[in-house]
Structures are given as structure tokens and as C-alpha cells.
Amino acid sequence: MYNFQGYHEATTLAEALALLAANPRLTVIAGGTDVLIKLRHGVIEGAELLSIRHIKSLEGVQKLEDGTIAIGPLTTFSRVAEDPVIKDHIPVLAEAALTIGGPQIRNVATIGGNLCNGATSADSAPTLFALGARLKLKNNTGERVTPIQDFYLGPGKVALKPGELLTQILISPEDYRGYGGHYIKFSQRRAMDIATLGVAVVCKVKEGRILEDVRIGLGVAGPTPRRCPEAEAFAKGKAITSETIATIGKLAVKAAQARTSWRASREYREHLVEELTQRALREAIVKAGGEAIA
Amino acid sequence: MLKKISFTVNGLQVALEVDVRESLLEVLRERLGYTGVKKGCEVGECGACTVLIDGTPVDSCIYLAVWADGKDIVTIEGIAKNGELSKVQKAFIEEGAIQCGFCTPGYVLTATAMAAKGKKYTREEIKRELSGHLCRCTGYQNIIKAVEKALAD
């Protein structure tokens, strides 16, 4: 038996927001693969749960009229990995989804839960950072849209105000059209493990040999997922050569604020940032239509 | 915190009152006697408690019983039909893909869901689909062979 003190279930967004407004201390639960494990381990105690898993309007993926891809936060990772809109337009996110847990976890774990628990190791985060995702947050009185970078405040801390729920993950057409991407999750096991480091790179290539735009998202390289502004600025307009790619890898380390944990030392993580950024970039270049670099 | 729910288990309609804090694993094993559903790590890592919910493999240890309301659940007890083992079960025996048996119900259920999809799987894909299960006895090779065999025709 799980140890929690109360349980509410909302079937519509309005109902959930009303319950949250009345009691902002409710612990929101969606797929439960994170919250229930925290309850099991005693990380959260005496919680009162608000289950939002039956709110149909928060589920599924749509391509809006203006080309924006809108992902419902309750979309499971199995669905993210198989969704035709995601596979057609942002296959790098489908790749990332398949690195999460194992199949039984992916069948219930949701992309919104992955973001809202604020872990720097969230496997969907580096890719959503690289894609410049925006998050729609709603409460009882209104809504706001925030860039994903501003959503992460620290380990386990996100910018949800009391009473707010994540209701949509948005990716604009100018952030995915023409881009190719690749995600690398580095972990001790290829399933059921938390990333030692995660790197997502998306890029746009001009004339097959010039980097028009490069975006790098890192997970576990600091207290929150992050982009690599220096490396990205350097990359713009550069010819695709091994030297360029090596420099981008080196500059990516500047964005890291890695720390030593039992999983890996700071130095090792920095090494991974440098190396995996290069590997992910090489793949992303090919997927963006560029020539492969030996 | 009691709640009335109803669902089907292996084709049988069940209605009962559960405590909202109970996991589906607990309700299946302790209230309904489906002890083929194994209690392993209880944090969704070992896959021993896997059941099919509306045809999809799920760890029943990290799934609240109240969420099963209205769902169709299949446990290992529902796989053999009229005393006849399923193709997946037979393949596990033929390939010696079983030792202590603790992980086997979960593997069989995941493989059953794979077979129901009717698609072809590469060996790599089979490994990926089975990656949510731990086996400490057989070393996986026989299990993979058994699943390959069961999916072959």
C-alpha cells in the first residue's frame, strides 16, 4: 500500500485547475512512474494526490495550422516514439523517447511528468531545449507561455506557480523545419538506467557543407538541462570540417556546470560533453542533409 | 479512502472496493489470488509484476488499482486457453528459457503483446522490447531465442 493521505481525480482540465486553486499543495500525478516511486522510497510523505491522467484534452500530438507541433503533456513516451507527426517532423524526439526506462515504463510515463519533476536527467529535456520548445502553463485565472530554459530553476525545481499545470509543449515550425537532429544518452545500461549524460544536437546545413544553425541541449551537465550558447554562436556559418566540430565540442563544455556524483566525476562528464556533442553533431549534420565527416 | 471499481481480469468481470492507496499488483495478488503476478522490486525496474492492461505491458507495482477501473487486464493465468499452453509458453519450454520462473510470467506477457502486434521484429528490437525485465538465472539468451521462435510464424 502506498503511503499518501488523500486522492483526487480530475477528468477535465477545468476541474483539475479548480482543485489545484483550492489546494495548491496537491501533488499532481500523471503516469505515476516518478511520483509513486518517490512515495515508495519515502522521498515524499503525507502527500495528497491529484490524478490528472484521465484528462483526455491533455493527451496526444497535433500539428496546428501554422505548423506548430503541440504535444499534450499526458502523451506517453511509447506514443511520442510512435506518433506520426513527431516521426515526420522531429524524429530526434522519438529517438530520445525510446531511451527512457523500459517498454513498460514508456507505456505509462508521460512527457509532461518527465519535464515537471525537474530532473536534469530528464531524457526528453535536451531535445526539447535544442528544439526551443515553449511550455504553456495554465491556472484557474489564465495562461502563460514560457521558453523551456526558463522553466527549469534548479534540481527538482520548475517554474510552475501554485495552482499551475503544464498543458502544452509547443515547437514552432521555424525551430524544426529544415533541421536534422540526434540524441545520445550515455548510461551504464542501455535500458532502465538514468543518463550519466544526455546530448541532443539539432542543426541546419547550407549547401551541404556549411553550418547554418546548430543548437545543443545537454542533460546532467549541470543542475538543470541547458543549451550551449558559445558553441552555438561559434558554429554559425562555419564550414563543416573536423576542426569546426572539435571546437564546437570544446566550447560546449563551457556551458557545463557538471558535478561529481556516484555516477561519474565532473571531469568525466566534461569529457563526455566534448566527445558526445561531436558525435551527436556529426549524426545531426547527415540527418540535416549535410555530407558525412570522417 | 475506498473506491468501487470494476474491470475484467482474464476475461472475467470483477467488481470490488479498493483502497485508493493499493497498487494493482497488491489487488491482483492479495485480493484476487492471481499469484502468477510476481512482486519483485516494487519500483518498476524488474518487470516481474508485468500485466497487460488493454493489451499493453505495464508494471502493476507502480500502477494504482483505481486506475484499472474499466480496463481489460490479462495476467499469466489468462494466457493458456482450455489447458493448452500458448505458443509463447511452449517456446519458453522448448528453448529452456526458464529457471526459477520468477521473471517468466512478465516475459511471457510482454512477448504475448509483441505477438499480438503481428509485426516482424529484429533481434535488436526483441532485446529492446524485453529490456524492462530482469532475469537472474538464464542469462537472457534462451529467453531471446524463445521469443524469436514464438514470433517466427
Side-chain angles (χ1 to χ4, degrees):
Chain A
M1 192 112 68
Y2 283 98
N3 176 20
F4 53 83
Q5 279 178 349
Y7 181 80
H8 309 264
E9 199 161 87
T11 48
T12 65
L13 181 58
E15 204 185 322
L17 293 176
L19 281 164
L20 263 187
N23 184 358
R25 293 181 54 86
L26 292 174
T27 302
V28 175
I29 184 167
T33 55
D34 185 66
V35 172
L36 290 178
I37 289 167
K38 281 184 183 153
L39 285 167
R40 179 76 77 210
H41 287 154
V43 179
I44 40 181
E45 280 179 334
E48 209 174 314
L49 303 185
L50 168 61
S51 168
I52 58 166
R53 61 186 292 125
H54 295 304
I55 303 177
K56 284 270 171 272
S57 63
L58 296 183
E59 220 181 288
V61 181
Q62 285 174 290
K63 193 169 159 210
L64 307 179
E65 253 173 46
D66 68 351
T68 298
I69 295 172
I71 305 170
L74 290 183
T75 311
T76 64
F77 282 112
S78 295
R79 171 105 187 252
V80 168
E82 281 169 19
D83 185 88
V85 171
I86 290 182
K87 277 169 110 170
D88 280 359
H89 301 289
I90 41 174
V92 56
L93 186 61
E95 267 173 37
L98 280 178
T99 67
I100 288 156
Q104 298 102 307
I105 300 286
R106 292 196 288 272
N107 286 340
V108 285
T110 67
I111 190 166
N114 197 224
L115 296 179
C116 289
N117 73 39
T120 181
S121 56
D123 281 298
S124 58
T127 306
L128 292 172
F129 269 67
L131 288 167
R134 290 167 300 129
L135 306 179
K136 190 185 270 186
L137 311 172
K138 259 190 181 163
N139 67 11
N140 218 9
T141 54
E143 64 177 50
R144 62 191 176 111
V145 174
T146 179
I148 193 165
Q149 279 111 306
D150 298 342
F151 186 65
Y152 279 87
L153 303 179
K157 275 189 82 176
V158 293
L160 281 170
K161 291 187 186 140
E164 265 184 342
L165 275 179
L166 168 64
T167 58
Q168 243 175 1
I169 300 159
L170 300 163
I171 299 158
S172 302
E174 57 271 24
D175 288 321
Y176 70 81
R177 271 186 196 147
Y179 284 87
H182 191 70
Y183 176 66
I184 299 176
K185 172 179 182 168
F186 189 90
S187 56
Q188 300 300 314
R189 284 188 76 225
R190 271 201 285 166
M192 306 310 297
D193 202 359
I194 287 169
T196 305
L197 197 88
V199 179
V201 176
V202 302
C203 72
K204 217 177 196 172
V205 171
K206 213 164 35 188
E207 294 148 22
R209 51 179 192 84
I210 291 165
L211 291 171
E212 193 179 327
D213 192 24
V214 173
R215 289 120 162 260
I216 304 162
L218 300 177
V220 213
T224 64
R226 60 204 46 235
R227 289 270 292 266
C228 301
E230 283 183 68
E232 294 178 13
F234 169 82
K236 257 192 186 29
K238 294 282 186 310
I240 299 172
T241 64
S242 305
E243 292 72 39
T244 308
I245 293 171
T247 308
I248 292 169
K250 280 200 173 63
L251 289 172
V253 180
K254 295 203 173 195
Q257 268 180 285
R259 67 179 184 100
T260 297
S261 76
W262 64 270
R263 259 178 235 285
S265 66
R266 178 175 63 83
E267 293 78 6
Y268 185 44
R269 283 205 167 89
E270 287 177 349
H271 171 72
L272 288 174
V273 171
E274 182 175 345
E275 177 61 30
L276 300 182
T277 298
Q278 295 184 56
R279 288 189 202 174
L281 177 56
R282 282 166 196 266
E283 289 285 334
I285 287 170
V286 174
K287 288 180 188 170
E291 290 161 24
I293 289 278
Chain B
M1 287 190 280
L2 297 173
K3 200 175 174 220
K4 279 199 178 110
I5 58 167
S6 63
F7 50 85
T8 57
V9 187
N10 304 328
L12 291 174
Q13 189 70 37
V14 179
L16 78 169
E17 205 167 52
V18 296
D19 188 308
V20 293
R21 296 169 297 178
E22 281 182 283
S23 68
L24 180 59
L25 167 71
E26 287 163 334
V27 166
L28 289 172
R29 274 185 70 86
E30 291 155 27
R31 306 274 299 272
L32 300 173
Y34 293 103
T35 52
V37 187
K38 299 303 181 202
K39 191 186 230 179
C41 69
E42 287 192 89
V43 286
E45 281 178 13
C46 76
C49 66
T50 299
V51 298
L52 303 184
I53 299 181
D54 292 340
T56 305
V58 167
D59 294 317
S60 61
C61 71
I62 47 171
Y63 191 95
L64 293 180
V66 287
W67 296 343
D69 192 27
K71 306 269 191 217
D72 176 50
I73 292 164
V74 175
T75 71
I76 191 67
E77 286 90 347
I79 297 299
K81 296 277 183 263
N82 306 317
E84 173 89 5
L85 296 180
S86 75
K87 203 150 91 174
V88 174
Q89 288 173 308
K90 283 180 187 160
F92 268 66
I93 294 171
E94 285 158 14
E95 291 298 325
I98 181 161
Q99 202 160 316
C100 91
F102 204 83
C103 68
T104 311
Y107 274 112
V108 169
L109 286 162
T110 289
T112 301
M114 290 166 73
K117 280 198 173 170
K119 68 168 254 199
K120 292 236 177 294
Y121 290 87
T122 63
R123 200 177 172 87
E124 275 313 301
E125 283 169 335
I126 290 175
K127 284 187 187 171
R128 192 173 74 199
E129 291 303 314
L130 299 179
S131 66
H133 297 273
L134 290 181
C135 167
R136 303 285 165 88
C137 306
T138 71
Y140 302 108
Q141 289 310 312
N142 291 357
I143 294 170
I144 294 163
K145 276 193 220 157
V147 176
E148 262 180 339
K149 185 173 199 168
L151 299 177
D153 39 57

